[in-house]
Structures are given as C-alpha cells and as structure tokens.
Amino acid sequence: MFKKTIHFIVISLISTMLFAQTTEQKNPVKKGHYNISKFKQLKQELPTPNNQHTASGAPGYEYTQQKVDYKMNIILDDEHQKIFGEETITYHNNSKDNLEYLWVQLDQNMRAPNSKTPDINGGGPGVLYSPSKFTKSFMGKPFQGGINLDYVKNSDGTPLSYTVNQTMMRIDLPKPLAAGATFNFKIKWWYNINDYIALQGRSGYEPFPDGNKIYIIAQFFPRLAVYNNVEGWQNMQFWGRSEFALEFGDYEVSITTPKDHILNATGVLQNPKEVFTKKQFKRYEEAKKSFDKPLVIVTQEEAEKAEMGHAKKTKTWKFKAKNVRDFAFASSRKFIWDAMAVDMHGRTVMAYSLYPKEGNPLWGKHSTKVVANTLKVYSEHTIDFPYPQATSVNAKRQGMEYPMICWNYGRPKADGTYTDRTKHGMIGVVTHEVGHNFFPMIINSDERQWTWMDEGLNSFVQILAEKAYDKNFPISRGLPKQITGYMKGDQSRIAPIMSQGDNVFNFGSNAYAKPAAGLYMLRQTIMGPKLFDKAFKTYAKRWAFKHPTPADFFRTMEDASAMDLDWFWRGWFYTTGSNDIGIKSVKKYYVTNKPTKRAQNMAKRYGITIDQLPPALYLVSEDSDEFTKEMKTNKPKDFPLLKNYINKNFTPQEQKTLKTPKYFYELTFEKPGDLVMPIIVEFQYEDGTKERKQYPAQIWRLNDKEVTKVFPSAKAIKKIVIDPDNETADVNLKNNSWPKNTESKFDKFKKQRIKS
C-alpha cells in the first residue's frame, strides 16, 4: 500500500512540474483580467443590502412604506362622456425622512392636447391611410383629454402651491412633513373620457351602434406616487406603455351613474339594496353560497331591457376597499352580471363577471369559472387571495388589470359561434389579468421601472393556472421553446430583461415571454418544482403588500433553496445571450488490464518504466489500433483487480446493486452559445429502451467552450439527443443529436407524404 502511494505522489509531482514548465515556455507573461467566469457572483450588479432590503432578500427590521387613504365622490356623465371627481387624501409619512413636497400622478395627461407622448416615437409616412385615419393624423382637432384641476387645497381650505410636469404634479407643502406625520388635502378635477376604440388606451368607453357605451374607468384620479429608500420619489413620467407604482391605502368611494347602469369596482359594494332591484339583490345574496357553478345576478333579459332606455335619473354606488394600491370601476346599462363563491381555506371570496350580451355564450360559460380557477392556483403558489372579490369585465381589445377588477377581450361572432382560438384567447387573458391581482397588486413591484417583475412573474404562473383549468390548454407564451426565435434574432433589437420597459424593442418578448420562460426552466429543469415552489412562495409571503426590488426576488430564491443561481440571473436577465449546446463527438471505449500506449507515454514522460505503474484498469478507444475484438467481451467484474477490491469494500447486498458496464462512451459537448445551461442527455439504446442524464450548469465552470464526460453503459447506445423536450431554450437543434441528423426538410416532407 505504501509503495502504491509513493508511485501516485511521484506521478503527481512530475505532472505538476512538467505542466508548469510547458506553460512557461509556451505562454510568456501576459496582462491579467477581471473575473470573466459565467459563474462569478452577482454582487457587483445587485445593490448593497441594508436594514430595509436585507441580504437574504427579506424586508429588514427598518423597512417602511408610505400609506395613502382616499375618500372620493365621482360622477359619471354618460350624456357628455365626462367624469368629475372630488377627493380628500390623507398621506401618512411612515418614512424617517422629512418631505418638502409630494408627487401626484396625473396619468390622463398622457392624452392631453399638449402631451409629449405622440412625439417620442419616430416613423415615416404610412403605406396607406383610411379617410378617418388621415383626418385624425393630419387634419383632425386633438382630443381634449387630460386632467382639468378645479382646485388643490389644504384641509383648511387654503390653496396649495403645485406644479404640473406632464403626467406628474408636485405639491409644495406649507412646511416639511415630518417623519411619522400625516397630511390632509383635497383635489377637485374633471376630464373628457376617451373613446378607447378610436383613440386607444387602458381605460375609457366603448361605443355601440345604438348609442350605449361600456365604461372601463381606471388611472382616472390624481393619486400619489411611491416614495421609498430605493428610488426616493418614483416619479418617472407615464408615456403610455410602462405602468405604475403606487402606495397601499384605504378607499371610500361613491360613484354616481345613470339609474339604469350596472357597476362594479375595486372593493366591496356597501349599498346593494339601493342599487339592485329586489330580484337582483336576492340573487346577489344567493350567489355567496354558490360554490359549484356561477349564478346570474343581472340577467341578459334585464340587460337588454335596460339598453332600450337612457335614464335621466341617477343612483350612487358606494364602495370601500382596505389596503389596496389603486381603484377602478366599470359601468354600463348593457352589463349582465354573474357570480360564484370560492372557498379560500374556509373564507369565501366572490368571483364576478360583467359582460354585454355580445359576450355570450362564451362569457357565461367560462369567465367566472376562470376567475375562480385563477384565484385558487395563484393562491397555491403565492399567498391566499386576501381580498373579498375579483371581477372580470368584458371589454373589446382590452387586457388590463387593477385591484379586484380587470378588463378582458374575447367575444363570439354575431351569431354566437366562436373558434377555439377565440375561446383560448379569452381564457388566457382572463387568467392573466386576474392573476395580476397577485403581481403587482399585492406583491407590489415598480412596474414602470421593472416591467418583468409583474408581467413576467404573472405570465409564468398563468401557465400553471391554464393547465389547471384545461390540461390540454394550448400555451401560447412563456415556454422555453417559444422564446428561441426572439433570442436568436437581430441583437441590435434585443434588450436585456433588466431594462426599463419604455426602452425595449419587443416589449412582449422582453417583459412577458422571456422572464416567464426563465422561471419555467428554473422550476422544471434547474431547481425542480419542490425547491422552486418553496422559494417562490417565500418571496410572495415576504413581499405581500410591500415594495420588492429585483434584488429581493433574486436573493430570496437563493436564500430559500440553497442554490447558487447567480449564473442564471446574470445570463438570462442581464444579457441578451442565447443557449446553444451540441454534441461535438462520441467515442466508444472498452476496458482492459493491459497498459495502453497512453499509459506507456505517461510513464515515459515521468521517467519510470511501465512496470512501475500501479496495477490498474485501462480504457481503449474503439478507433484505436490497440483495440481488439476480444476486448468487447471483457466486463469490469471479470478483472481480478477490481473483483478483489469490490469483495473487500462492499457487502454482498451492496454488490448486487452495482452496475456492470460493458461499454464506455466519451461524450464531448460543445457550447457555441453565450449562456450556460444544464445538459439534458437522452440515451436511446439498441434494444429500444431510453435513459436520461442531466448534468448541472456548473459543468461549464472551468471550460466555457466544451466539456467531456465518460458515460458507462451495460447496453450499446444507438442514439443520443440533447434536450429532447426543448426545456432549455436551445436556439440551434441541428447539433443536438448523435449520430448527426442529416435528413433534409425535403426528405422529412417526402416521408410524411408517404405515410399520409
């Protein structure tokens, strides 16, 4: 034993010396470099942890956030398409800073006549113009949109000094607002409601030929911007695309509409008896006990009757909402309303849908059931849905979300028929927009800065919810294989995920699809569902009703899983690199106890004779001239050297579990792509069976170009395929097989024609 040890020490020392000498001769002194490893830690990119946002990714003991409460009286003028509002705002300064001013968001100013939004996008003349588009583009009078401020007053009625800068208004306080203090003030305002079909937008009204309208009203009132220790005032302008960041607070809102309107909003309706008929109120109450199927509150017959008249009298709908970050409502005399109760671990949550007759039968069949399914699946993966209700509203060409209420497209043809594409599109958008209740309405990230934190995370969970609703649901976006076209596209038109939303070319791929595909890979391939689900749920629990940052998400996912994922965050989120892993070569080896030429050369280099090498087993390549046909019959268990070792070191029971490889394959994987990813290898044997082996991404840590592995097998391998299920967003499948697939597209087409 001692003699063998000496041999190994001598060989190791000689090897080290020879390598050092060779390296010095071939490589003269060169300049050093910074760490270029794909596995270097992400510490340089992430902000320094502090007592508000900790190194673990959790909120710290000094974490604070502001609170803003609103009391509003709103009038919806259906005759003139105007909205009027008076609001009393109570601002709670929970920070440790004294504030000299407050920033208020005026999103409707995006469509004011002097808005800069139309001026930021370039482009030449269109190919053709319809008369309406031509007059609108070059001859029309601008829409008189934007917030009109009647007053901004202190609680004592004295005017407050303010400055409007496009979609932001700065209110200069009479004296600095001290830490821990509150400030009350009032704003009175009005604006012209836009036709969102003609003028586009996230809110407005949809006109119908008979003069009726569906109003979806959101981002409609002056509301406070976020102030925190990460960005200070989050007062980035609203240009129309990237959405918003808001503070949580309590709302009391009264909305006056025509008497024949049906309305729902963020929060809980306080006066249902006053706004519903007796029959409708009875159904409204009965629906709270209907857990198995939707129950209609306002029928299609009642809605069609209401459409025929235009009431001059009014009624007022009263709502309260606790701990929400925004408020929105939908109103129309065209609305049908159905409802279904959802059991949230013993607590009843209501799922609602409001839609015109044009939405039936599709909406009556699916919408409320989809709302209920979404609440259940998202709650399973995050936190139990904390609010009392969630409402889906049918609105043409819409897909937009607010707390407890959202607008969703999807309508049948005039005869009531619809295609699978229409149905799946409608189910998908309802799932997505209801899912936004969790991201960002509860886990309250800054959408304007980091769009992916709400759209990407939401699109990922959307996949799980759609599959729960229908196991055969055709996923349209978010799977790794669906993002490869974008990732291998023109690099000059691709931005990293970690880009502000207004500044990317392909918004959908960048903010929705690629983050979702990345999270899908993390769950299914890299981390596994058990580790991923625990970490993802931990993030949701930690940051529910708070303001997380990207670093909080990245750190929590690692903190709760004990996985170093810095390589993944850097590659997938901070770069525009793509994944391309291929099989460079495959060699078959056989075992022998006779020293090979490689062994003889090694002994010669070390200045020892072949008989001085310790007893060993050797592998001979099938391509080598040393290979003999007899070697094919050799099995490791037949060699006394190995047999003796096994008998001494393994119990009889353990020996039974040992494999008996006959073939040894040298697999060389290449990586032309920029990203590092796990290598998923499927082996297809000559007897028709298959086996899979997954090498972790860390296999690339010492060589970013190619790696070699030895794979022992008791059976001969017929075919090897990398990533057979397209799990890792590999952009080039041509190098994923061995033997290489030389079949042309024409050959494939010809085979398919023969089969058919």
Side-chain angles (χ1 to χ4, degrees), residues 20-58:
Q21 292 173 2
T22 305
T23 302
E24 288 176 3
Q25 292 171 1
K26 292 184 177 180
N27 301 318
V29 177
K30 295 182 179 180
K31 291 183 179 180
H33 58 77
Y34 290 103
N35 189 349
I36 58 174
S37 169
K38 300 286 176 63
F39 294 90
K40 70 178 180 180
Q41 296 299 285
L42 204 61
K43 299 183 187 300
Q44 288 176 279
E45 286 81 1
L46 298 184
T48 303
N50 54 47
N51 292 332
Q52 292 206 25
H53 295 261
T54 67
S56 70

Side-chain angles (χ1 to χ4, degrees), residues 393-531:
V393 180
N394 182 220
K396 193 175 183 179
R397 300 180 194 168
Q398 283 290 334
M400 193 58 204
E401 73 283 352
Y402 301 92
M404 299 186 232
I405 194 166
C406 56
W407 335 133
N408 302 303
Y409 62 78
R411 287 179 187 161
K413 298 175 184 176
D415 63 1
T417 61
Y418 52 87
T419 63
D420 283 345
R421 181 177 180 180
T422 298
K423 180 185 76 172
H424 292 139
M426 173 263 186
I427 293 171
V429 72
V430 173
T431 302
H432 183 88
E433 305 308 339
V434 172
H436 270 305
N437 275 287
F438 296 84
F439 306 101
M441 302 302 158
I442 296 168
I443 297 102
N444 188 17
S445 57
D446 179 2
E447 297 177 79
R448 194 156 298 169
Q449 181 64 51
W450 305 116
T451 310
W452 69 267
M453 287 193 74
D454 74 292
E455 298 295 358
L457 270 63
N458 184 39
S459 295
F460 159 67
V461 188
Q462 176 187 347
I463 296 173
L464 307 180
E466 288 170 341
K467 286 296 186 183
Y469 189 76
D470 176 1
K471 64 180 181 180
N472 297 315
F473 193 89
I475 303 302
S476 61
R477 178 173 61 189
L479 297 178
K481 64 183 179 182
Q482 294 169 328
I483 197 63
T484 56
Y486 168 71
M487 296 183 71
K488 65 182 179 182
D490 181 358
Q491 279 288 326
S492 68
R493 299 187 66 83
I494 301 177
I497 293 174
M498 292 293 288
S499 301
Q500 198 274 328
D502 289 322
N503 304 323
V504 298
F505 293 100
N506 193 324
F507 189 65
S509 295
N510 178 277
Y512 293 68
K514 188 180 176 185
L519 295 178
Y520 192 88
M521 277 192 292
L522 277 181
R523 184 177 192 265
Q524 301 302 124
T525 305
I526 297 169
M527 299 176 71
K530 188 174 181 179
L531 278 178

